[in-house]
Amino acid sequence: MILTQINWNPDPEIVNILGLSIRYYSVLFLSGILLSITVLKWIFKEEKLPEANLEKLSMYGVIGILLGARLGHCFFYEPGYYFNHPLEILLPIQFTSNGGFEFTGYRGLASHGGALGLIIALFVYSRKTKHAMLDTIDLIAVVTGLAAGFIRLANLMNSEIVGMPSTKPWAFIFKRIDNIPRHPAQLYEAICYFLILAFMLFLYKTKREQFKNGVFFGTVLFLIFAARFFIEFIKENQVAFESSMQFNMGQLLSIPYIIVGLGFVTYGIRKTRKQLSLQV
């Protein structure tokens, strides 16, 4: 069967009930987080950790991801605009030229900021529960690809973060943007993240005793942001100033995470081997 290019034009809004807009982005974003929490519940049982800890982790994690992702977009990608419109950073509105405002939802969430916000939230959780930080981030790392994949599917439904023009038979024509066939970069990324999820679950089931002390965290950090770095080569720039850069903002922000990820893997393997040798 020969694939043909796909005309892509879904309405981002699923339904509007009495002025309340329910959108694919919100549904998929929340679904990814809730499914991640469900898998974490199983992991916490495997680790024999109290369920109360999972409730705290879920609360801190969701707040950290949302706050970090929002601030990351505002300060990394559009600092000039949001410094002049500070109320729009945390309020889901946009002020109009006539002095009024309209409800727009949060237009812009950055995964790099979300990752940083989550790490800060995990630090707070560890302090509150006395659950070791390295162990906490290792458990979160196992399910990170699940939430990340759903977020990219949400971007696909919004026809945003599109790829560059392409002649591939599976190219998408994002009708809300133009009539040019493009790489479905959001779909590429989502598939990568779901594959990373499968790999991390495999590692957890087979190598939990050998890989501790931040190895899982470092592995997922490296894999996700390495995938992000290379996929950025076939994405359109999100903001105008990126056109003059050799690497775009997404790639530049990915490099520190890749380096930190490798550092955690190296440190974790060495420390775990040392601990296992002392037990023999």
Side-chain angles (χ1 to χ4, degrees):
M1 182 178 70
I2 300 175
L3 295 175
T4 58
Q5 292 166 339
I6 299 165
N7 286 296
W8 189 254
N9 191 27
D11 188 340
E13 184 178 77
I14 301 173
V15 65
N16 191 303
I17 303 174
L18 300 176
L20 177 63
S21 176
I22 300 175
R23 304 171 72 86
Y24 282 107
Y25 190 97
S26 301
V27 170
L28 286 166
F29 190 100
L30 292 175
S31 296
I33 291 176
L34 291 174
L35 285 172
S36 298
I37 292 172
T38 300
V39 179
L40 272 176
K41 189 173 183 178
W42 166 73
I43 292 175
F44 268 54
K45 286 182 179 178
E46 292 285 309
E47 299 287 317
K48 296 180 173 56
L49 293 168
E51 191 169 335
N53 280 17
L54 179 59
E55 293 173 0
K56 291 179 181 178
L57 178 62
S58 301
M59 180 180 68
Y60 294 144
V62 169
I63 293 173
I65 290 170
L66 290 174
L67 192 59
R70 181 59 180 163
L71 293 176
H73 173 82
C74 294
F75 297 144
F76 294 154
Y77 289 96
E78 298 183 84
Y81 177 85
Y82 285 104
F83 279 132
N84 290 322
H85 302 83
L87 289 179
E88 292 182 20
I89 294 176
L90 297 179
L91 296 178
I93 62 174
Q94 186 172 42
F95 289 98
T96 58
S97 57
N98 61 8
F101 66 89
E102 61 177 333
F103 178 84
T104 59
Y106 291 111
R107 291 180 175 175
L109 297 171
S111 57
H112 300 88
L116 183 58
L118 177 59
I119 291 170
I120 294 171
L122 295 180
F123 175 77
V124 175
Y125 160 82
S126 295
R127 293 290 298 271
K128 293 284 186 180
T129 62
K130 308 304 179 185
H131 185 184
M133 179 68 174
L134 278 178
D135 192 49
T136 302
I137 59 179
D138 268 347
L139 299 184
I140 285 287
V142 178
V143 302
T144 298
L146 181 55
F150 268 77
I151 290 170
R152 282 297 174 254
L153 292 179
N155 295 136
L156 180 65
M157 298 306 296
N158 267 5
S159 297
E160 60 189 3
I161 314 181
V162 300
M164 291 181 175
S166 169
T167 58
K168 300 296 184 183
W170 58 81
F172 278 43
I173 300 174
F174 294 96
K175 295 298 226 177
R176 291 179 176 272
I177 297 175
D178 52 33
N179 289 313
I180 301 173
R182 296 177 176 277
H183 284 288
Q186 317 96 318
L187 193 56
Y188 296 165
E189 233 176 304
I191 292 170
C192 284
Y193 295 159
F194 290 139
L195 289 174
I196 290 170
L197 167 68
F199 178 67
M200 295 306 298
L201 286 169
F202 171 77
L203 278 187
Y204 178 77
K205 289 292 291 182
T206 60
K207 302 291 183 181
R208 173 58 176 157
E209 293 306 313
Q210 296 97 315
F211 292 164
K212 293 186 176 182
N213 301 300
V215 176
F216 287 163
F217 174 68
T219 300
V220 83
L221 211 59
F222 171 79
L223 290 176
I224 282 180
F225 285 102
R228 173 73 185 271
F229 182 89
F230 287 109
I231 292 173
E232 287 291 329
F233 281 114
I234 57 170
K235 281 185 187 178
E236 289 284 7
N237 292 327
Q238 294 189 54
V239 287
F241 70 78
E242 291 180 297
S243 60
S244 62
M245 301 164 62
Q246 183 173 0
F247 296 115
N248 65 26
M249 183 60 72
Q251 290 173 311
L252 293 178
L253 292 172
S254 294
I255 292 172
Y257 286 100
I258 292 171
I259 295 171
V260 169
L262 289 173
F264 268 97
V265 170
T266 303
Y267 168 81
I269 288 176
R270 288 177 177 174
K271 185 170 183 179
T272 304
R273 284 178 177 173
K274 185 176 181 180
Q275 290 174 339
L276 290 174
S277 67
L278 293 174
Q279 295 174 8
V280 176

